[in-house]
Amino acid sequence: MVVAFGLVATVAAAATGALTFREARTGVLQQSQDAVIRQLRTQVGQLAGGLSYPPGQETLRRLASDLADTEAQGHWRVLVVFREMSASSVAGDPFTEVTPAVRAAVGASRATVFQRVRRDGHTSLVVGMPVVFSAPGAERVLSGVQVFLVVPQTVEQAYVDALVTAVERAMVVALALAVVLALLAARGVLLPVRALRHATRSIAEGRLDTRLAVNGSDELADLSDTFNETAAALETSVAELRDMEARARRFAADVSHELRTPLAAMSAVTDVLDEDAARLDPDTATAVRLISAETVKLARLVDDLMEMSRFDADAAVLHLDEIDLAESIRRTLASRGWSGTVETRLPAPGTVRAHVDPRRLDVVVANLVGNALRHGARPVRVGLHARGAGGTGGLVVIEVRDSGPGIPGDVLPHVFERFYKSDTARARSEGSGLGLSITAENVRMHGGTVRAANHPAGGALFTVELPLRRHDLPEEDRS
């Protein structure tokens, strides 16, 4: 706005100043020119009557001197020409201002001729006129005598320079005034816009109670009022969504908690029934084993839901300890009977140590290996290696790879979402869809990342990266 106002003011002031300067300059020069021509005609008319004809050199000189003396300030320079003779009011003056064009025009016409000539940075008015003899009742006759007058226009040039200075000063004042007006206008527009920008940023940062002050009744005031209405509606909607989400989390946690007691009793009963299943008839034994298996799955689901509710409530905590990661992975596989099923590429004991939560690392490895065994194909391989600056600033990388068909491209972005299942990827799945979500949350709590991809040689590849930065750990968790 400042630039636009400045450009408009500059163009307007320049145009106005140029027109004013042109008219004023023309007026000044025209007035000076008319006064000089009028005075010259009068003086020539008075002095021409006393000329002898044909005039001699002395007569021409005296006429030039008499015409020059009629100007009180002595600025006139007069040249009188008759055929081949010439005389001037200033001896030796070459009269370079009198151009051939002016001489030719005076010789071919009875009218007074004038021209402005600029020489050496100075402007002069050149006036030329023929001397005409006239008698009462007779036709005017050219005498052949030509008078040329050179008048410096110093005063007129000073007036013109003063006009230029005045126009320049007017443009500066107009530009300054335009800038002030632009700043005032911009302030009226930009302040509400800046307030709107800050309010929008505040809303984006989660401060939904942000509101704008509404002043006036223009479009910006309407915009501020609309923003306030939108923010109020958004705050109400988000509050309702948060309340619904909190109730849903609380409901899942409460249900999971309430199911644990009956499930514990059911698990105890199914354990007893499993022991006696061999002595039951085949149909009853099959039903008992089915109930026992489903009870185990239900108990696992309840445990997973309880774990997710702790994540959602930020109630999950890390109990860090410095452990041998390779030995921890071996214990995880052994405790679940996978030692003979899963191929491992683990470093020697004591090579890779890190501060982690042993229980949560066990859950991460078990979920990934179990997922590979259920949804992929054997052999399943587990690898471990350190990357970066050893144990002071690098990463520990755990890789779990199966030999199955891999994960479809449209499924890869969703594998860590809760309860997500794909008919193609989970055709044999009997899980709840929470295992990989819990894995991702446990890795996130350690400050690491987990990624799913397809290995170039075939099969799905899950990569877990955990930091080894000891200085990031609380003092009580360091050993």
Side-chain angles (χ1 to χ4, degrees):
M1 292 185 69
V2 172
V3 172
F5 270 69
L7 289 176
V8 170
T10 301
V11 172
T16 303
L19 292 175
T20 303
F21 170 76
R22 178 182 176 183
E23 295 300 323
R25 178 177 179 274
T26 301
V28 169
L29 296 179
Q30 187 69 42
Q31 181 180 5
S32 172
Q33 168 190 307
D34 293 345
V36 170
I37 293 175
R38 194 165 45 246
Q39 185 177 359
L40 178 62
R41 284 177 177 172
T42 301
Q43 295 302 322
V44 170
Q46 292 177 355
L47 296 176
L51 288 177
S52 59
Y53 191 84
Q57 183 69 33
E58 180 62 23
T59 301
L60 296 180
R61 188 194 63 75
R62 187 171 57 253
L63 176 60
S65 299
D66 291 343
L67 288 175
D69 292 341
T70 59
E71 201 272 322
Q73 297 181 358
H75 293 162
W76 281 18
R77 295 158 52 214
V78 179
L79 172 67
V80 180
V81 177
F82 178 73
R83 296 177 183 174
E84 301 301 328
M85 295 183 298
S86 64
S88 65
S89 60
V90 179
D93 192 337
F95 280 89
T96 57
E97 297 88 349
V98 181
T99 63
V102 173
R103 293 177 183 268
V106 172
S109 172
R110 296 186 179 187
T112 302
V113 178
F114 64 90
Q115 182 182 30
R116 292 189 186 89
V117 179
R118 187 171 184 83
R119 289 284 189 276
D120 301 328
H122 301 285
T123 302
S124 301
L125 174 65
V126 178
V127 181
M129 60 182 301
V131 176
V132 181
F133 291 153
S134 64
E139 184 181 357
R140 294 167 59 87
V141 179
L142 290 174
S143 65
V145 179
Q146 299 173 352
V147 177
F148 297 94
L149 170 65
V150 178
V151 181
Q153 294 192 306
T154 307
V155 176
E156 291 77 3
Q157 186 62 45
Y159 288 155
V160 172
D161 293 341
L163 283 174
V164 172
T165 303
V167 170
E168 291 176 349
R169 291 177 179 175
M171 288 181 63
V172 172
V173 173
L175 181 60
L177 181 60
V179 170
V180 172
L181 293 177
L183 291 175
L184 293 177
R187 178 181 177 85
V189 175
L190 293 181
L191 285 181
V193 172
R194 288 173 181 167
L196 179 61
R197 182 185 64 186
H198 293 320
T200 304
R201 185 175 299 169
S202 179
I203 290 286
E205 293 173 353
R207 295 188 288 273
L208 301 181
D209 58 343
T210 303
R211 298 294 184 272
L212 291 173
V214 180
N215 299 315
S217 58
D218 55 6
E219 290 80 0
L220 290 174
D222 292 340
L223 179 61
S224 300
D225 188 59
T226 302
F227 175 86
N228 291 340
E229 293 177 357
T230 303
L234 179 63
E235 183 180 17
T236 301
S237 299
V238 171
E240 293 176 353
L241 289 174
R242 288 175 177 173
D243 185 61
M244 292 172 60
E245 183 181 6
R247 289 200 302 268
R249 291 176 179 175
R250 190 164 52 250
F251 174 77
D254 292 343
V255 169
S256 301
H257 181 75
E258 294 298 328
L259 286 176
R260 298 189 73 176
T261 300
L263 277 175
M266 291 173 62
S267 297
V269 172
T270 55
D271 289 342
V272 174
L273 292 176
D274 282 339
E275 294 176 359
D276 296 335
R279 295 189 295 272
L280 301 176
D281 61 89
D283 292 339
T284 304
T286 301
V288 167
R289 292 189 182 94
L290 179 60
I291 292 174
S292 178
E294 294 302 324
T295 301
V296 171
K297 293 179 182 177
L298 183 58
R300 186 181 301 116
L301 174 61
V302 170
D303 290 339
D304 289 346
L305 288 174
M306 290 292 294
E307 186 73 358
M308 294 304 300
S309 66
R310 282 191 287 269
F311 287 136
D312 292 339
D314 291 330
V317 294
L318 288 175
H319 299 284
L320 299 175
D321 190 15
E322 185 179 1
I323 63 172
D324 185 340
L325 299 183
E327 185 61 28
S328 175
I329 293 174
R330 291 189 182 95
R331 285 198 300 267
T332 297
L333 300 178
S335 65
R336 290 163 176 80
W338 294 337
S339 296
T341 305
V342 177
E343 298 180 3
T344 59
R345 288 179 298 200
L346 304 176
T351 304
V352 179
R353 301 181 64 84
H355 279 77
V356 297
D357 186 325
R359 183 184 71 82
R360 296 189 182 278
L361 180 63
D362 176 77
V363 171
V364 169
V365 175
N367 283 347
L368 293 179
V369 174
N371 183 76
L373 291 172
R374 286 192 300 271
H375 308 306
R378 301 181 183 183
V380 173
R381 302 176 179 86
V382 178
L384 170 69
H385 64 275
R387 179 190 303 164
T392 59
L395 296 173
V396 59
V397 181
I398 302 173
E399 295 179 339
V400 178
R401 176 191 167 196
D402 63 54
S403 302
I407 304 174
D410 59 336
V411 175
L412 273 175
H414 308 287
V415 293
F416 295 106
E417 295 179 4
R418 300 179 185 182
F419 300 107
Y420 181 82
K421 293 185 180 182
S422 169
D423 292 338
T424 301
R426 302 287 184 89
R428 299 179 296 155
S429 175
E430 298 178 356
S432 63
L434 290 175
L436 291 181
S437 298
I438 292 175
T439 297
E441 290 292 341
N442 281 318
V443 173
R444 181 189 60 80
M445 290 184 64
H446 283 85
T449 59
V450 57
R451 300 187 303 275
N454 289 316
H455 196 275
L461 174 64
F462 287 83
T463 304
V464 176
E465 294 180 349
L466 300 176
L468 294 175
R469 297 187 297 271
R470 295 173 58 93
H471 57 275
D472 288 347
L473 302 173
E475 289 292 339
E476 60 271 16
D477 291 329
R478 299 181 183 177
S479 60

PDB file of all heavy atoms in Angstrom, residues 180-200:
ATOM      1  N   VAL A 180       2.600   9.027   4.425  1.00  0.00           N
ATOM      2  CA  VAL A 180       1.894   9.118   5.709  1.00  0.00           C
ATOM      3  C   VAL A 180       0.478   8.566   5.584  1.00  0.00           C
ATOM      4  O   VAL A 180       0.015   7.780   6.428  1.00  0.00           O
ATOM      5  CB  VAL A 180       1.881  10.579   6.205  1.00  0.00           C
ATOM      6  CG1 VAL A 180       0.979  10.717   7.426  1.00  0.00           C
ATOM      7  CG2 VAL A 180       3.293  11.042   6.542  1.00  0.00           C
ATOM      8  N   LEU A 181      -0.224   8.997   4.531  1.00  0.00           N
ATOM      9  CA  LEU A 181      -1.582   8.481   4.324  1.00  0.00           C
ATOM     10  C   LEU A 181      -1.574   6.975   4.103  1.00  0.00           C
ATOM     11  O   LEU A 181      -2.462   6.258   4.596  1.00  0.00           O
ATOM     12  CB  LEU A 181      -2.216   9.190   3.118  1.00  0.00           C
ATOM     13  CG  LEU A 181      -2.506  10.689   3.290  1.00  0.00           C
ATOM     14  CD1 LEU A 181      -3.050  11.269   1.999  1.00  0.00           C
ATOM     15  CD2 LEU A 181      -3.498  10.917   4.440  1.00  0.00           C
ATOM     16  N   ALA A 182      -0.575   6.480   3.349  1.00  0.00           N
ATOM     17  CA  ALA A 182      -0.495   5.039   3.111  1.00  0.00           C
ATOM     18  C   ALA A 182      -0.257   4.276   4.406  1.00  0.00           C
ATOM     19  O   ALA A 182      -0.839   3.216   4.640  1.00  0.00           O
ATOM     20  CB  ALA A 182       0.614   4.740   2.101  1.00  0.00           C
ATOM     21  N   LEU A 183       0.631   4.825   5.257  1.00  0.00           N
ATOM     22  CA  LEU A 183       0.882   4.170   6.542  1.00  0.00           C
ATOM     23  C   LEU A 183      -0.367   4.147   7.407  1.00  0.00           C
ATOM     24  O   LEU A 183      -0.666   3.141   8.065  1.00  0.00           O
ATOM     25  CB  LEU A 183       2.028   4.884   7.271  1.00  0.00           C
ATOM     26  CG  LEU A 183       3.422   4.720   6.646  1.00  0.00           C
ATOM     27  CD1 LEU A 183       4.439   5.566   7.390  1.00  0.00           C
ATOM     28  CD2 LEU A 183       3.825   3.254   6.672  1.00  0.00           C
ATOM     29  N   LEU A 184      -1.092   5.264   7.409  1.00  0.00           N
ATOM     30  CA  LEU A 184      -2.329   5.285   8.192  1.00  0.00           C
ATOM     31  C   LEU A 184      -3.345   4.288   7.638  1.00  0.00           C
ATOM     32  O   LEU A 184      -4.000   3.550   8.392  1.00  0.00           O
ATOM     33  CB  LEU A 184      -2.912   6.705   8.187  1.00  0.00           C
ATOM     34  CG  LEU A 184      -2.088   7.767   8.927  1.00  0.00           C
ATOM     35  CD1 LEU A 184      -2.739   9.133   8.772  1.00  0.00           C
ATOM     36  CD2 LEU A 184      -1.961   7.407  10.414  1.00  0.00           C
ATOM     37  N   ALA A 185      -3.483   4.273   6.302  1.00  0.00           N
ATOM     38  CA  ALA A 185      -4.424   3.334   5.687  1.00  0.00           C
ATOM     39  C   ALA A 185      -3.975   1.892   5.911  1.00  0.00           C
ATOM     40  O   ALA A 185      -4.785   1.010   6.215  1.00  0.00           O
ATOM     41  CB  ALA A 185      -4.552   3.626   4.197  1.00  0.00           C
ATOM     42  N   ALA A 186      -2.648   1.644   5.743  1.00  0.00           N
ATOM     43  CA  ALA A 186      -2.139   0.289   5.947  1.00  0.00           C
ATOM     44  C   ALA A 186      -2.294  -0.155   7.395  1.00  0.00           C
ATOM     45  O   ALA A 186      -2.583  -1.319   7.668  1.00  0.00           O
ATOM     46  CB  ALA A 186      -0.669   0.228   5.527  1.00  0.00           C
ATOM     47  N   ARG A 187      -2.108   0.788   8.307  1.00  0.00           N
ATOM     48  CA  ARG A 187      -2.263   0.438   9.722  1.00  0.00           C
ATOM     49  C   ARG A 187      -3.698  -0.015  10.001  1.00  0.00           C
ATOM     50  O   ARG A 187      -3.926  -0.991  10.723  1.00  0.00           O
ATOM     51  CB  ARG A 187      -1.907   1.650  10.581  1.00  0.00           C
ATOM     52  CG  ARG A 187      -2.069   1.410  12.077  1.00  0.00           C
ATOM     53  CD  ARG A 187      -1.722   2.670  12.857  1.00  0.00           C
ATOM     54  NE  ARG A 187      -1.944   2.492  14.280  1.00  0.00           N
ATOM     55  CZ  ARG A 187      -1.074   1.965  15.114  1.00  0.00           C
ATOM     56  NH1 ARG A 187       0.090   1.569  14.648  1.00  0.00           N
ATOM     57  NH2 ARG A 187      -1.332   1.834  16.393  1.00  0.00           N
ATOM     58  N   GLY A 188      -4.649   0.688   9.397  1.00  0.00           N
ATOM     59  CA  GLY A 188      -6.039   0.307   9.608  1.00  0.00           C
ATOM     60  C   GLY A 188      -6.368  -1.054   9.043  1.00  0.00           C
ATOM     61  O   GLY A 188      -7.286  -1.733   9.520  1.00  0.00           O
ATOM     62  N   VAL A 189      -5.622  -1.460   7.998  1.00  0.00           N
ATOM     63  CA  VAL A 189      -5.881  -2.766   7.388  1.00  0.00           C
ATOM     64  C   VAL A 189      -4.994  -3.851   7.995  1.00  0.00           C
ATOM     65  O   VAL A 189      -5.453  -4.961   8.284  1.00  0.00           O
ATOM     66  CB  VAL A 189      -5.658  -2.684   5.862  1.00  0.00           C
ATOM     67  CG1 VAL A 189      -5.791  -4.062   5.230  1.00  0.00           C
ATOM     68  CG2 VAL A 189      -6.654  -1.725   5.235  1.00  0.00           C
ATOM     69  N   LEU A 190      -3.713  -3.533   8.196  1.00  0.00           N
ATOM     70  CA  LEU A 190      -2.759  -4.553   8.601  1.00  0.00           C
ATOM     71  C   LEU A 190      -2.897  -4.959  10.060  1.00  0.00           C
ATOM     72  O   LEU A 190      -2.645  -6.116  10.408  1.00  0.00           O
ATOM     73  CB  LEU A 190      -1.331  -4.060   8.340  1.00  0.00           C
ATOM     74  CG  LEU A 190      -0.957  -3.877   6.867  1.00  0.00           C
ATOM     75  CD1 LEU A 190       0.478  -3.415   6.730  1.00  0.00           C
ATOM     76  CD2 LEU A 190      -1.167  -5.176   6.107  1.00  0.00           C
ATOM     77  N   LEU A 191      -3.274  -4.028  10.924  1.00  0.00           N
ATOM     78  CA  LEU A 191      -3.414  -4.403  12.329  1.00  0.00           C
ATOM     79  C   LEU A 191      -4.455  -5.509  12.523  1.00  0.00           C
ATOM     80  O   LEU A 191      -4.175  -6.520  13.189  1.00  0.00           O
ATOM     81  CB  LEU A 191      -3.757  -3.162  13.171  1.00  0.00           C
ATOM     82  CG  LEU A 191      -2.596  -2.198  13.432  1.00  0.00           C
ATOM     83  CD1 LEU A 191      -3.055  -1.029  14.292  1.00  0.00           C
ATOM     84  CD2 LEU A 191      -1.449  -2.929  14.129  1.00  0.00           C
ATOM     85  N   PRO A 192      -5.660  -5.381  11.944  1.00  0.00           N
ATOM     86  CA  PRO A 192      -6.601  -6.508  12.068  1.00  0.00           C
ATOM     87  C   PRO A 192      -6.100  -7.781  11.391  1.00  0.00           C
ATOM     88  O   PRO A 192      -6.325  -8.882  11.893  1.00  0.00           O
ATOM     89  CB  PRO A 192      -7.876  -5.977  11.383  1.00  0.00           C
ATOM     90  CG  PRO A 192      -7.756  -4.499  11.444  1.00  0.00           C
ATOM     91  CD  PRO A 192      -6.302  -4.210  11.323  1.00  0.00           C
ATOM     92  N   VAL A 193      -5.399  -7.617  10.256  1.00  0.00           N
ATOM     93  CA  VAL A 193      -4.890  -8.807   9.574  1.00  0.00           C
ATOM     94  C   VAL A 193      -3.816  -9.486  10.416  1.00  0.00           C
ATOM     95  O   VAL A 193      -3.778 -10.722  10.526  1.00  0.00           O
ATOM     96  CB  VAL A 193      -4.335  -8.412   8.187  1.00  0.00           C
ATOM     97  CG1 VAL A 193      -3.627  -9.598   7.537  1.00  0.00           C
ATOM     98  CG2 VAL A 193      -5.463  -7.932   7.287  1.00  0.00           C
ATOM     99  N   ARG A 194      -2.937  -8.692  11.023  1.00  0.00           N
ATOM    100  CA  ARG A 194      -1.916  -9.283  11.904  1.00  0.00           C
ATOM    101  C   ARG A 194      -2.550  -9.953  13.108  1.00  0.00           C
ATOM    102  O   ARG A 194      -2.131 -11.037  13.526  1.00  0.00           O
ATOM    103  CB  ARG A 194      -0.950  -8.193  12.354  1.00  0.00           C
ATOM    104  CG  ARG A 194      -0.008  -7.714  11.257  1.00  0.00           C
ATOM    105  CD  ARG A 194       0.809  -6.532  11.718  1.00  0.00           C
ATOM    106  NE  ARG A 194       1.702  -6.045  10.668  1.00  0.00           N
ATOM    107  CZ  ARG A 194       2.341  -4.893  10.725  1.00  0.00           C
ATOM    108  NH1 ARG A 194       2.196  -4.105  11.776  1.00  0.00           N
ATOM    109  NH2 ARG A 194       3.130  -4.520   9.733  1.00  0.00           N
ATOM    110  N   ALA A 195      -3.563  -9.296  13.665  1.00  0.00           N
ATOM    111  CA  ALA A 195      -4.276  -9.914  14.794  1.00  0.00           C
ATOM    112  C   ALA A 195      -4.907 -11.227  14.368  1.00  0.00           C
ATOM    113  O   ALA A 195      -4.879 -12.220  15.110  1.00  0.00           O
ATOM    114  CB  ALA A 195      -5.337  -8.947  15.331  1.00  0.00           C
ATOM    115  N   LEU A 196      -5.471 -11.258  13.160  1.00  0.00           N
ATOM    116  CA  LEU A 196      -6.068 -12.487  12.646  1.00  0.00           C
ATOM    117  C   LEU A 196      -5.008 -13.559  12.452  1.00  0.00           C
ATOM    118  O   LEU A 196      -5.234 -14.742  12.759  1.00  0.00           O
ATOM    119  CB  LEU A 196      -6.785 -12.196  11.332  1.00  0.00           C
ATOM    120  CG  LEU A 196      -7.459 -13.384  10.639  1.00  0.00           C
ATOM    121  CD1 LEU A 196      -8.529 -13.986  11.533  1.00  0.00           C
ATOM    122  CD2 LEU A 196      -8.061 -12.955   9.312  1.00  0.00           C
ATOM    123  N   ARG A 197      -3.836 -13.167  11.948  1.00  0.00           N
ATOM    124  CA  ARG A 197      -2.761 -14.135  11.762  1.00  0.00           C
ATOM    125  C   ARG A 197      -2.312 -14.725  13.096  1.00  0.00           C
ATOM    126  O   ARG A 197      -2.149 -15.945  13.229  1.00  0.00           O
ATOM    127  CB  ARG A 197      -1.581 -13.465  11.059  1.00  0.00           C
ATOM    128  CG  ARG A 197      -0.411 -14.417  10.773  1.00  0.00           C
ATOM    129  CD  ARG A 197       0.766 -13.669  10.199  1.00  0.00           C
ATOM    130  NE  ARG A 197       1.296 -12.702  11.160  1.00  0.00           N
ATOM    131  CZ  ARG A 197       2.247 -11.826  10.880  1.00  0.00           C
ATOM    132  NH1 ARG A 197       2.762 -11.777   9.666  1.00  0.00           N
ATOM    133  NH2 ARG A 197       2.671 -10.981  11.797  1.00  0.00           N
ATOM    134  N   HIS A 198      -2.104 -13.859  14.095  1.00  0.00           N
ATOM    135  CA  HIS A 198      -1.692 -14.355  15.414  1.00  0.00           C
ATOM    136  C   HIS A 198      -2.776 -15.244  16.020  1.00  0.00           C
ATOM    137  O   HIS A 198      -2.463 -16.271  16.645  1.00  0.00           O
ATOM    138  CB  HIS A 198      -1.404 -13.172  16.342  1.00  0.00           C
ATOM    139  CG  HIS A 198      -0.207 -12.366  15.936  1.00  0.00           C
ATOM    140  ND1 HIS A 198       0.956 -12.925  15.449  1.00  0.00           N
ATOM    141  CD2 HIS A 198       0.009 -11.020  15.916  1.00  0.00           C
ATOM    142  CE1 HIS A 198       1.834 -11.986  15.172  1.00  0.00           C
ATOM    143  NE2 HIS A 198       1.286 -10.808  15.442  1.00  0.00           N
ATOM    144  N   ALA A 199      -4.038 -14.858  15.842  1.00  0.00           N
ATOM    145  CA  ALA A 199      -5.123 -15.669  16.391  1.00  0.00           C
ATOM    146  C   ALA A 199      -5.192 -17.020  15.698  1.00  0.00           C
ATOM    147  O   ALA A 199      -5.401 -18.054  16.353  1.00  0.00           O
ATOM    148  CB  ALA A 199      -6.452 -14.924  16.245  1.00  0.00           C
ATOM    149  N   THR A 200      -5.004 -17.034  14.385  1.00  0.00           N
ATOM    150  CA  THR A 200      -5.020 -18.299  13.656  1.00  0.00           C
ATOM    151  C   THR A 200      -3.880 -19.196  14.103  1.00  0.00           C
ATOM    152  O   THR A 200      -4.059 -20.410  14.293  1.00  0.00           O
ATOM    153  CB  THR A 200      -4.911 -18.021  12.136  1.00  0.00           C
ATOM    154  OG1 THR A 200      -5.964 -17.142  11.749  1.00  0.00           O
ATOM    155  CG2 THR A 200      -5.026 -19.303  11.352  1.00  0.00           C
TER     156      THR A 200
END
